[in-house]
Amino acid sequence: MLFQVVPFDAAQHDRSTFNSGSPALDTYLRRQLSQDIKRRVATCFVALTDDGRIAGYYTLAATSVLLDLLPEQVARKLPRYPSVPAILMGRLAVDQTFKGQKLGGALLADALARSANAEIAAYALIVDAKDEDAASFYGHHGFLALPTSSLRLFLPLASIRPLVE
Ligand SMILES: CC(C)(COP(=O)(O)OP(=O)(O)OC[C@H]1O[C@@H](n2cnc3c(N)ncnc32)[C@H](O)[C@@H]1OP(=O)(O)O)[C@@H](O)C(=O)NCCC(=O)NCCS
C-alpha cells in the first residue's frame, strides 16, 4: 500500500480510530498533540492512506545531548562544547492494521531525511524507545544506545546525509 507523509493537521485528520496497540501513544495523538504543536514543543508528521486514514505518526522536537553522555569514541571526534544539538523523535507509532508493511521503517527514514536536510544544524536524531522491543526496532535500523540508557538511542546525521541529499 502507498502512504503519503504530511504534517499533521488537526482540522483535516481523523485521530479517533488510531490504534497502535500502545494506549499511551494513541492517547497522546488524540488528547495532547494539538496542545504540543500550539506551544511549539513538538511537530508531527502522519502517514495517510488513500482514503485519508492515519496509518502512522511520529513527532520531532529540538533537543541537545551532553557530550559526556555520548560514547567516548564518538565524543572524541566532536568539538569540545558541553553539548551538541540534536533532534528528538519522541514518538513513533503505526496502526496495528498496517504493522509489518515497512511503514515504521519508512516513517523513520522520513524523519531522518527531514532532520538531515533541515536548515538548522543537528548532530544526531535521538529516539526514546518505549521498551526494549522498540529499542530493538531502532537497533535494527542502525541506532546506537546512549551509554546511560538502553532506551535512548541516537544516529549521527552526517552518516546518512549522502543517502538523503
Ligand atoms: C515499532 C513499530 C513502529 C514498527 O513499525 P512496523 O511498520 O510494524 O515495522 P516495519 O514493517 O517498518 O519494520 C521494518 C523493519 O524493522 C524490523 N522490525 C520491526 N519491529 C522490530 C523489532 N521490535 N525489533 C527488531 N526489528 C524489528 C522488521 O523486521 C523490518 O525489517 P526488514 O526491513 O529488515 O525486513 C510498530 O510496531 C509500532 O507502532 N509499535 C508500537 C509502538 C512502538 O513501539 N513505537 C516505537 C517507538 S516508542
Side-chain angles (χ1 to χ4, degrees):
M1 189 180 282
L2 278 181
F3 301 95
Q4 198 192 0
V5 181
V6 296
F8 171 71
D9 179 347
Q12 303 258 340
H13 304 144
D14 176 19
R15 294 160 276 178
S16 59
T17 61
F18 186 80
N19 175 15
S20 68
S22 160
L25 289 166
D26 301 345
T27 306
Y28 176 81
L29 180 66
R30 277 198 267 283
R31 304 227 185 107
Q32 182 68 39
L33 174 63
S34 294
Q35 285 297 323
D36 280 3
I37 292 173
K38 216 174 278 170
R39 293 176 178 139
R40 292 194 61 86
V41 295
T43 54
C44 176
F45 294 88
V46 289
L48 298 177
T49 61
D50 280 352
D51 54 0
R53 179 172 170 191
I54 298 180
Y57 81 90
Y58 69 83
T59 60
L60 294 181
T63 188
S64 66
V65 201
L66 288 171
L67 225 56
D68 287 350
L69 297 187
L70 287 168
E72 210 271 318
Q73 69 275 23
V74 173
R76 210 188 306 135
K77 296 182 193 139
L78 290 167
R80 297 275 93 209
Y81 302 139
S83 64
V84 284
I87 294 175
L88 174 69
M89 189 168 75
R91 292 174 173 84
L92 165 70
V94 168
D95 188 292
Q96 286 189 316
T97 313
F98 304 99
K99 272 189 190 160
Q101 296 181 29
K102 312 265 184 211
L103 180 57
L107 284 171
L108 189 53
D110 190 81
L112 283 164
R114 283 181 206 277
S115 304
N117 290 325
E119 288 187 351
I120 299 172
Y123 164 67
L125 184 68
I126 309 278
V127 291
D128 273 335
K130 71 175 179 54
D131 52 29
E132 290 298 340
D133 192 44
S136 127
F137 168 79
Y138 292 119
H140 179 81
H141 289 89
F143 281 74
L144 305 166
L146 288 175
T148 43
S149 161
S150 60
L151 296 182
R152 186 159 257 223
L153 300 92
F154 74 103
L155 188 68
L157 292 168
S159 65
I160 61 124
R161 180 94 217 204
L163 302 173
V164 297
E165 261 170 353

